[in-house]
Coordinates of all heavy atoms in Angstrom, one line a residue:
M1 N -13.3 6.8 -21.8 CA -13.3 5.5 -22.4 C -14.3 4.6 -21.6 O -15.0 3.8 -22.2 CB -11.9 4.9 -22.4 CG -11.9 3.6 -23.1 SD -10.3 2.8 -23.1 CE -9.7 3.4 -24.7
F2 N -14.4 4.7 -20.3 CA -15.3 3.9 -19.5 C -16.7 4.1 -19.9 O -17.5 3.2 -20.1 CB -15.1 4.2 -18.0 CG -16.1 3.5 -17.2 CD1 -15.9 2.1 -16.9 CD2 -17.2 4.1 -16.6 CE1 -16.9 1.4 -16.2 CE2 -18.1 3.4 -15.9 CZ -17.9 2.1 -15.6
G3 N -17.1 5.4 -20.1 CA -18.5 5.7 -20.5 C -18.8 5.1 -21.8 O -20.0 4.6 -22.0
L4 N -17.9 5.1 -22.8 CA -18.2 4.5 -24.1 C -18.3 3.0 -24.0 O -19.1 2.4 -24.7 CB -17.1 4.9 -25.1 CG -17.0 6.4 -25.4 CD1 -15.8 6.7 -26.3 CD2 -18.3 6.9 -26.0
T5 N -17.6 2.4 -23.1 CA -17.6 1.0 -22.9 C -19.0 0.6 -22.4 O -19.6 -0.4 -22.8 CB -16.5 0.5 -22.0 OG1 -15.3 0.9 -22.5 CG2 -16.6 -1.0 -21.8
V6 N -19.5 1.3 -21.4 CA -20.8 1.0 -20.8 C -21.9 1.2 -21.8 O -22.8 0.3 -22.0 CB -21.0 2.0 -19.6 CG1 -22.5 1.8 -19.1 CG2 -20.1 1.6 -18.5
L7 N -21.8 2.3 -22.6 CA -22.9 2.5 -23.6 C -22.8 1.5 -24.8 O -23.8 1.2 -25.4 CB -22.8 3.9 -24.1 CG -23.1 5.0 -23.1 CD1 -23.0 6.4 -23.7 CD2 -24.6 4.8 -22.6
G8 N -21.6 1.0 -25.0 CA -21.4 0.1 -26.1 C -21.8 -1.4 -25.8 O -21.8 -2.2 -26.7
S9 N -22.1 -1.6 -24.5 CA -22.4 -3.0 -24.1 C -23.7 -3.4 -24.8 O -24.7 -2.7 -24.9 CB -22.6 -3.0 -22.6 OG -23.0 -4.2 -22.2
M10 N -23.6 -4.7 -25.3 CA -24.8 -5.2 -26.1 C -26.0 -5.4 -25.2 O -27.1 -5.4 -25.6 CB -24.3 -6.5 -26.7 CG -23.3 -6.4 -27.7 SD -23.8 -5.3 -29.1 CE -24.9 -6.4 -29.9
V11 N -25.8 -5.6 -23.9 CA -26.9 -6.0 -23.0 C -27.5 -4.7 -22.3 O -28.7 -4.7 -22.0 CB -26.4 -7.0 -21.9 CG1 -27.5 -7.3 -20.9 CG2 -25.9 -8.3 -22.6
F12 N -26.6 -3.8 -22.1 CA -27.0 -2.6 -21.2 C -28.2 -1.8 -21.8 O -29.2 -1.6 -21.1 CB -25.8 -1.8 -21.0 CG -26.1 -0.6 -20.1 CD1 -26.1 -0.8 -18.7 CD2 -26.2 0.7 -20.6 CE1 -26.4 0.3 -17.9 CE2 -26.5 1.8 -19.8 CZ -26.6 1.6 -18.4
I13 N -28.1 -1.3 -23.0 CA -29.0 -0.4 -23.5 C -30.4 -1.0 -23.8 O -31.4 -0.5 -23.3 CB -28.5 0.3 -24.8 CG1 -27.3 1.2 -24.4 CG2 -29.6 1.2 -25.5 CD1 -26.6 1.9 -25.5
P14 N -30.5 -2.1 -24.5 CA -31.8 -2.7 -24.7 C -32.5 -3.1 -23.4 O -33.7 -2.8 -23.2 CB -31.6 -4.0 -25.6 CG -30.3 -3.7 -26.2 CD -29.5 -2.9 -25.3
N15 N -31.8 -3.7 -22.5 CA -32.4 -4.0 -21.2 C -32.8 -2.8 -20.5 O -33.9 -2.8 -19.9 CB -31.4 -4.8 -20.4 CG -32.0 -5.3 -19.1 OD1 -33.1 -5.7 -19.0 ND2 -31.1 -5.4 -18.1
F16 N -32.0 -1.8 -20.5 CA -32.4 -0.5 -19.8 C -33.7 0.1 -20.4 O -34.6 0.4 -19.6 CB -31.2 0.5 -20.0 CG -31.3 1.7 -19.1 CD1 -30.9 1.7 -17.8 CD2 -31.8 2.9 -19.7 CE1 -31.0 2.8 -17.0 CE2 -31.9 4.0 -18.9 CZ -31.5 4.0 -17.6
I17 N -33.8 0.1 -21.7 CA -35.0 0.7 -22.3 C -36.3 -0.1 -22.0 O -37.3 0.4 -21.6 CB -34.8 0.9 -23.8 CG1 -33.7 1.9 -24.0 CG2 -36.1 1.3 -24.5 CD1 -33.2 2.1 -25.4
I18 N -36.1 -1.4 -22.1 CA -37.3 -2.3 -21.9 C -37.8 -2.2 -20.5 O -38.9 -2.1 -20.2 CB -37.0 -3.8 -22.3 CG1 -36.8 -3.8 -23.8 CG2 -38.0 -4.7 -21.8 CD1 -36.2 -5.2 -24.3
R19 N -36.8 -2.3 -19.5 CA -37.2 -2.3 -18.1 C -37.7 -0.9 -17.7 O -38.5 -0.9 -16.8 CB -36.0 -2.6 -17.3 CG -35.5 -4.1 -17.4 CD -36.5 -5.0 -16.9 NE -36.5 -5.0 -15.4 CZ -37.5 -5.5 -14.7 NH1 -38.5 -6.2 -15.2 NH2 -37.5 -5.4 -13.4
L20 N -37.4 0.2 -18.4 CA -37.9 1.5 -18.0 C -39.4 1.5 -18.2 O -40.1 2.3 -17.5 CB -37.3 2.6 -18.9 CG -36.0 3.2 -18.3 CD1 -35.5 4.2 -19.3 CD2 -36.3 3.9 -17.0
T21 N -39.9 0.8 -19.2 CA -41.4 0.8 -19.4 C -42.1 -0.1 -18.4 O -43.3 0.0 -18.2 CB -41.7 0.3 -20.8 OG1 -41.2 -1.1 -20.9 CG2 -41.1 1.1 -21.9
E22 N -41.4 -0.9 -17.6 CA -42.0 -1.9 -16.7 C -41.9 -1.5 -15.3 O -42.9 -1.7 -14.5 CB -41.4 -3.3 -16.9 CG -41.5 -3.8 -18.3 CD -40.7 -5.1 -18.5 OE1 -39.9 -5.5 -17.6 OE2 -40.8 -5.7 -19.5
V23 N -40.8 -0.9 -14.8 CA -40.6 -0.5 -13.4 C -40.0 0.9 -13.3 O -39.8 1.5 -14.3 CB -39.6 -1.6 -12.7 CG1 -40.3 -2.9 -12.7 CG2 -38.3 -1.6 -13.4
S24 N -39.7 1.3 -12.1 CA -39.2 2.6 -11.8 C -37.8 2.8 -12.3 O -37.0 1.8 -12.4 CB -39.3 3.0 -10.3 OG -38.4 2.2 -9.6
F25 N -37.4 4.0 -12.5 CA -36.0 4.3 -13.0 C -35.0 3.9 -12.0 O -34.0 3.3 -12.4 CB -35.9 5.9 -13.2 CG -34.6 6.3 -13.7 CD1 -34.2 6.1 -15.0 CD2 -33.7 6.9 -12.8 CE1 -32.9 6.5 -15.4 CE2 -32.4 7.3 -13.2 CZ -32.1 7.1 -14.6
I26 N -35.2 4.1 -10.7 CA -34.2 3.7 -9.7 C -34.0 2.2 -9.7 O -32.9 1.7 -9.6 CB -34.6 4.2 -8.3 CG1 -34.6 5.7 -8.3 CG2 -33.7 3.7 -7.2 CD1 -35.2 6.4 -7.1
Q27 N -35.0 1.4 -9.8 CA -34.9 0.0 -9.9 C -34.1 -0.5 -11.1 O -33.3 -1.4 -11.0 CB -36.3 -0.7 -9.8 CG -36.2 -2.2 -9.7 CD -37.6 -2.8 -9.6 OE1 -38.6 -2.2 -9.5 NE2 -37.6 -4.2 -9.6
V28 N -34.4 0.2 -12.2 CA -33.7 -0.2 -13.5 C -32.2 0.1 -13.3 O -31.3 -0.7 -13.7 CB -34.2 0.6 -14.7 CG1 -33.4 0.4 -15.9 CG2 -35.7 0.2 -14.9
V29 N -31.8 1.2 -12.7 CA -30.4 1.6 -12.5 C -29.8 0.6 -11.6 O -28.6 0.1 -11.9 CB -30.3 3.0 -12.0 CG1 -28.9 3.3 -11.6 CG2 -30.7 4.0 -13.1
L30 N -30.4 0.2 -10.5 CA -29.8 -0.8 -9.6 C -29.7 -2.1 -10.2 O -28.7 -2.8 -9.9 CB -30.7 -0.9 -8.3 CG -30.7 0.4 -7.4 CD1 -31.7 0.2 -6.3 CD2 -29.3 0.7 -6.9
E31 N -30.6 -2.5 -11.1 CA -30.4 -3.8 -11.7 C -29.3 -3.8 -12.7 O -28.6 -4.8 -12.9 CB -31.7 -4.2 -12.5 CG -32.9 -4.5 -11.6 CD -34.2 -4.7 -12.4 OE1 -34.2 -4.6 -13.6 OE2 -35.2 -5.1 -11.7
N32 N -29.1 -2.7 -13.4 CA -28.0 -2.7 -14.4 C -26.6 -2.4 -13.8 O -25.6 -2.6 -14.5 CB -28.3 -1.6 -15.5 CG -29.4 -2.1 -16.4 OD1 -29.2 -3.1 -17.1 ND2 -30.5 -1.4 -16.5
I33 N -26.6 -1.9 -12.6 CA -25.3 -1.7 -11.9 C -24.6 -3.0 -11.7 O -23.3 -3.0 -11.5 CB -25.6 -0.9 -10.6 CG1 -25.1 0.5 -10.8 CG2 -25.0 -1.5 -9.4 CD1 -25.4 1.5 -9.7
V34 N -25.2 -4.1 -11.6 CA -24.6 -5.4 -11.4 C -23.6 -5.7 -12.5 O -22.5 -6.2 -12.2 CB -25.7 -6.5 -11.3 CG1 -25.1 -7.9 -11.3 CG2 -26.6 -6.3 -10.2
G35 N -23.8 -5.3 -13.7 CA -22.9 -5.5 -14.8 C -21.7 -4.6 -14.8 O -20.7 -4.9 -15.5
L36 N -21.7 -3.5 -14.0 CA -20.6 -2.6 -14.1 C -19.2 -3.1 -13.7 O -18.2 -2.8 -14.3 CB -20.9 -1.3 -13.3 CG -22.0 -0.4 -13.9 CD1 -22.3 0.8 -13.0 CD2 -21.6 0.0 -15.3
P37 N -19.2 -4.0 -12.6 CA -17.9 -4.5 -12.3 C -17.2 -5.3 -13.4 O -16.0 -5.3 -13.6 CB -18.1 -5.5 -11.1 CG -19.4 -4.9 -10.5 CD -20.2 -4.3 -11.6
E38 N -18.1 -6.0 -14.2 CA -17.5 -6.8 -15.3 C -17.0 -5.8 -16.4 O -15.9 -6.1 -16.9 CB -18.7 -7.6 -16.0 CG -18.3 -8.3 -17.2 CD -19.4 -9.0 -17.9 OE1 -20.6 -9.0 -17.4 OE2 -19.2 -9.6 -19.0
I39 N -17.6 -4.8 -16.6 CA -17.2 -3.8 -17.6 C -15.9 -3.1 -17.1 O -14.9 -2.9 -17.9 CB -18.2 -2.7 -17.9 CG1 -19.5 -3.4 -18.5 CG2 -17.7 -1.6 -18.7 CD1 -20.7 -2.5 -18.6
V40 N -15.8 -2.8 -15.8 CA -14.6 -2.2 -15.3 C -13.4 -3.1 -15.4 O -12.3 -2.7 -15.9 CB -14.8 -1.8 -13.8 CG1 -13.5 -1.4 -13.1 CG2 -15.8 -0.7 -13.7
V41 N -13.6 -4.4 -15.1 CA -12.5 -5.4 -15.2 C -12.1 -5.5 -16.7 O -10.9 -5.6 -17.0 CB -12.9 -6.8 -14.6 CG1 -11.9 -7.8 -15.0 CG2 -13.1 -6.6 -13.1
Q42 N -13.0 -5.6 -17.6 CA -12.7 -5.7 -19.0 C -11.9 -4.6 -19.5 O -10.9 -4.7 -20.2 CB -13.9 -5.9 -19.8 CG -14.6 -7.3 -19.7 CD -15.9 -7.3 -20.4 OE1 -16.3 -6.4 -21.1 NE2 -16.5 -8.5 -20.3
I43 N -12.3 -3.3 -19.2 CA -11.6 -2.2 -19.7 C -10.2 -2.0 -19.1 O -9.3 -1.6 -19.7 CB -12.5 -0.9 -19.6 CG1 -11.9 0.2 -20.4 CG2 -12.5 -0.4 -18.1 CD1 -12.0 0.0 -21.9
L44 N -10.1 -2.3 -17.8 CA -8.8 -2.3 -17.1 C -7.8 -3.3 -17.7 O -6.7 -3.0 -18.0 CB -8.9 -2.5 -15.6 CG -9.6 -1.3 -14.9 CD1 -9.7 -1.7 -13.4 CD2 -8.7 0.0 -15.0
L45 N -8.3 -4.5 -17.9 CA -7.5 -5.5 -18.5 C -7.0 -5.2 -20.0 O -5.9 -5.3 -20.3 CB -8.2 -6.9 -18.5 CG -7.4 -8.1 -19.1 CD1 -6.2 -8.3 -18.3 CD2 -8.3 -9.3 -19.2
F46 N -8.0 -4.7 -20.8 CA -7.7 -4.3 -22.1 C -6.7 -3.1 -22.1 O -5.7 -3.1 -22.9 CB -8.9 -3.8 -22.9 CG -8.7 -3.2 -24.2 CD1 -8.3 -4.0 -25.3 CD2 -8.7 -1.9 -24.4 CE1 -8.0 -3.5 -26.5 CE2 -8.4 -1.3 -25.6 CZ -8.1 -2.1 -26.7
S47 N -6.9 -2.2 -21.2 CA -5.9 -1.0 -21.2 C -4.6 -1.5 -20.8 O -3.6 -1.0 -21.3 CB -6.5 0.0 -20.2 OG -7.7 0.5 -20.6
W48 N -4.5 -2.3 -19.8 CA -3.2 -2.8 -19.3 C -2.5 -3.6 -20.4 O -1.2 -3.4 -20.7 CB -3.4 -3.7 -18.1 CG -2.1 -4.3 -17.6 CD1 -1.2 -3.6 -16.8 CD2 -1.5 -5.6 -17.8 NE1 -0.1 -4.4 -16.5 CE2 -0.3 -5.6 -17.1 CE3 -2.0 -6.7 -18.5 CZ2 0.5 -6.8 -17.1 CZ3 -1.2 -7.8 -18.4 CH2 0.0 -7.9 -17.8
L49 N -3.2 -4.5 -21.1 CA -2.6 -5.2 -22.3 C -2.1 -4.3 -23.4 O -1.0 -4.4 -23.9 CB -3.6 -6.2 -22.8 CG -3.8 -7.4 -21.9 CD1 -5.0 -8.3 -22.5 CD2 -2.6 -8.3 -21.8
Y50 N -2.9 -3.3 -23.7 CA -2.5 -2.3 -24.7 C -1.3 -1.5 -24.3 O -0.4 -1.3 -25.1 CB -3.7 -1.3 -25.0 CG -3.4 -0.3 -26.0 CD1 -3.4 -0.7 -27.4 CD2 -3.1 1.0 -25.7 CE1 -3.2 0.2 -28.4 CE2 -2.9 1.9 -26.7 CZ -2.9 1.5 -28.0 OH -2.6 2.4 -29.0
I51 N -1.2 -1.1 -23.1 CA 0.0 -0.3 -22.6 C 1.2 -1.2 -22.7 O 2.3 -0.8 -23.2 CB -0.3 0.2 -21.2 CG1 -1.3 1.3 -21.2 CG2 1.1 0.7 -20.6 CD1 -1.8 1.8 -19.9
K52 N 1.1 -2.5 -22.2 CA 2.3 -3.4 -22.3 C 2.7 -3.6 -23.8 O 3.9 -3.7 -24.1 CB 1.9 -4.7 -21.6 CG 1.8 -4.6 -20.2 CD 3.1 -4.1 -19.6 CE 3.0 -4.0 -18.1 NZ 4.2 -3.4 -17.5
W53 N 1.7 -3.8 -24.7 CA 2.0 -4.0 -26.1 C 2.7 -2.7 -26.7 O 3.7 -2.9 -27.4 CB 0.7 -4.3 -26.8 CG 0.9 -4.5 -28.3 CD1 1.7 -5.4 -28.9 CD2 0.3 -3.7 -29.3 NE1 1.5 -5.3 -30.3 CE2 0.7 -4.3 -30.6 CE3 -0.6 -2.6 -29.3 CZ2 0.3 -3.7 -31.8 CZ3 -1.1 -2.2 -30.5 CH2 -0.6 -2.7 -31.8
E54 N 2.3 -1.6 -26.3 CA 2.9 -0.3 -26.8 C 4.3 -0.2 -26.3 O 5.2 0.3 -27.0 CB 2.0 0.9 -26.5 CG 0.8 1.1 -27.4 CD 1.2 1.4 -28.8 OE1 2.2 2.1 -29.1 OE2 0.6 0.8 -29.7
E55 N 4.5 -0.5 -25.0 CA 5.8 -0.4 -24.4 C 6.8 -1.3 -25.1 O 7.9 -1.0 -25.4 CB 5.8 -0.8 -22.9 CG 5.2 0.3 -22.0 CD 5.0 -0.1 -20.6 OE1 5.3 -1.3 -20.3 OE2 4.7 0.8 -19.8
K56 N 6.3 -2.6 -25.4 CA 7.2 -3.5 -26.1 C 7.5 -3.0 -27.5 O 8.6 -3.1 -28.0 CB 6.5 -4.9 -26.2 CG 7.3 -6.0 -26.8 CD 6.5 -7.3 -26.8 CE 7.3 -8.4 -27.5 NZ 6.5 -9.6 -27.6
K57 N 6.5 -2.5 -28.2 CA 6.7 -1.9 -29.5 C 7.7 -0.8 -29.5 O 8.6 -0.7 -30.4 CB 5.4 -1.5 -30.1 CG 5.4 -1.1 -31.5 CD 4.0 -0.7 -31.9 CE 3.9 -0.1 -33.3 NZ 2.6 0.3 -33.7
T58 N 7.6 0.1 -28.5 CA 8.5 1.2 -28.4 C 9.9 0.8 -28.1 O 10.9 1.3 -28.7 CB 8.0 2.2 -27.3 OG1 6.7 2.6 -27.5 CG2 8.9 3.4 -27.2
E59 N 10.1 -0.2 -27.2 CA 11.4 -0.8 -27.0 C 12.1 -1.3 -28.2 O 13.3 -1.1 -28.4 CB 11.3 -1.8 -25.9 CG 11.1 -1.3 -24.5 CD 10.9 -2.4 -23.5 OE1 11.1 -3.6 -23.8 OE2 10.5 -2.1 -22.3
Q60 N 11.3 -2.1 -29.0 CA 11.8 -2.7 -30.2 C 12.2 -1.6 -31.2 O 13.2 -1.7 -31.9 CB 10.8 -3.6 -30.9 CG 10.6 -4.9 -30.1 CD 9.5 -5.7 -30.7 OE1 8.8 -5.3 -31.6 NE2 9.3 -6.9 -30.1
T61 N 11.5 -0.5 -31.3 CA 11.8 0.6 -32.2 C 13.1 1.3 -31.7 O 13.9 1.7 -32.6 CB 10.6 1.6 -32.2 OG1 9.4 0.9 -32.6 CG2 10.9 2.7 -33.2
N62 N 13.2 1.5 -30.4 CA 14.4 2.2 -29.9 C 15.7 1.3 -30.1 O 16.7 1.9 -30.3 CB 14.2 2.5 -28.4 CG 13.2 3.6 -28.2 OD1 12.9 4.4 -29.1 ND2 12.6 3.7 -27.0
E63 N 15.5 0.0 -30.1 CA 16.7 -0.8 -30.2 C 17.2 -0.8 -31.7 O 18.4 -0.9 -31.9 CB 16.4 -2.3 -29.9 CG 16.2 -2.5 -28.4 CD 15.7 -3.9 -28.0 OE1 15.6 -4.7 -29.0 OE2 15.5 -4.2 -26.8
K64 N 16.3 -0.6 -32.6 CA 16.7 -0.6 -34.0 C 17.4 0.7 -34.4 O 18.2 0.7 -35.3 CB 15.5 -0.7 -34.9 CG 14.9 -2.1 -34.9 CD 13.6 -2.2 -35.8 CE 13.0 -3.6 -35.7 NZ 11.8 -3.7 -36.5
V65 N 17.2 1.8 -33.6 CA 17.8 3.1 -34.0 C 19.1 3.2 -33.4 O 19.8 2.7 -32.8 CB 16.9 4.2 -33.4 CG1 17.5 5.6 -33.6 CG2 15.5 4.2 -34.1

């Protein structure tokens, strides 16, 4: 899921391709690594919220049975 989030980022791919034509590959990777902590926090927060939502949904379903 993390890899798909990184690739789906609106800023990552266009910036990566444009910068590849201007500077070295290593410099492009280092510049784009700055955004990775943001992506990690977003995916962890989304995953945590989704798990809590599913747990609540499961509890409600078990109470009805």
Side-chain angles (χ1 to χ4, degrees):
M1 186 181 265
F2 174 75
L4 295 176
T5 304
V6 170
L7 293 176
S9 174
M10 296 300 287
V11 176
F12 182 76
I13 294 175
N15 185 35
F16 190 81
I17 294 170
I18 291 170
R19 292 293 289 165
L20 269 176
T21 62
E22 299 171 355
V23 293
S24 71
F25 179 76
I26 294 172
Q27 186 177 354
V28 173
V29 170
L30 291 175
E31 288 175 358
N32 284 302
I33 251 173
V34 173
L36 288 179
E38 177 187 355
I39 294 170
V40 169
V41 169
Q42 288 175 1
I43 196 65
L44 289 175
L45 180 62
F46 172 77
S47 298
W48 181 78
L49 289 171
Y50 181 75
I51 289 169
K52 291 299 178 187
W53 178 59
E54 281 295 320
E55 287 175 352
K56 184 178 177 182
K57 187 176 172 183
T58 303
E59 288 176 7
Q60 291 175 351
T61 303
N62 289 340
E63 290 176 359
K64 290 181 181 179
V65 174

